[in-house]
């Protein structure tokens, strides 16, 4: 699994995740939530190939979770943490 996050402006990022397919979206910082940046995740896009069976459920999880992420932070250890109401991604 490959995660790529690149700046596309002062408070905007392009996020892509390669599982079986490549999932892509934009992430905009819109404010602060305690120590986290409050984020808005844009409409996602994905290639539409059938992933290998062992990756199918995880890819479905990402497809449903990415649009619901609401905050992010880079930890002291350098991990990118993206959180939503029912999911958290750490890279």
């Amino acid at each position: 699994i490959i995660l790529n996050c690149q700046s596309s402006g002062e408070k905007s990022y392009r996020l892509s995740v390669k599982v079986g397919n490549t999932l892509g979206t934009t992430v905009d910082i819109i404010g602060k939530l305690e120590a986290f940046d409050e984020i808005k995740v844009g409409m996602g896009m994905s290639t539409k190939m059938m992933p290998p069976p062992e990756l199918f459920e995880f890819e479905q999880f990402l497809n449903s979770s990415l649009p619901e992420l609401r905050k992010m932070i880079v930890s002291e250890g350098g991990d990118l943490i993206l959180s939503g109401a029912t999911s958290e991604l750490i890279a």
Side-chain angles (χ1 to χ4, degrees):
I1 298 168
I2 300 170
L3 177 108
N4 185 357
C5 188
Q6 296 183 337
S7 176
S8 62
E10 185 177 333
K11 294 186 176 189
S12 186
Y13 299 88
R14 294 172 54 91
L15 178 69
S16 66
V17 183
K18 171 77 171 140
V19 182
N21 288 287
T22 299
L23 314 170
T25 190
T26 57
V27 177
D28 295 317
I29 298 173
I30 59 172
K32 293 294 272 181
L33 288 171
E34 300 168 1
F36 289 80
D37 287 321
E38 182 179 13
I39 60 173
K40 179 178 181 192
V41 178
M43 293 294 296
M45 70 74 159
S46 173
T47 56
K48 299 292 184 185
M49 305 283 286
M50 179 61 80
E54 65 273 13
L55 297 177
F56 182 78
E57 283 187 45
F58 182 67
E59 191 169 289
Q60 292 300 309
F61 166 77
L62 284 176
N63 272 326
S64 64
S65 297
L66 284 176
E68 297 183 9
L69 297 173
R70 296 292 174 251
K71 58 186 181 177
M72 75 177 190
I73 192 170
V74 176
S75 73
E76 290 180 14
D79 293 330
L80 174 64
I81 303 170
L82 299 155
S83 299
T86 60
S87 60
E88 183 170 82
L89 303 173
I90 301 172

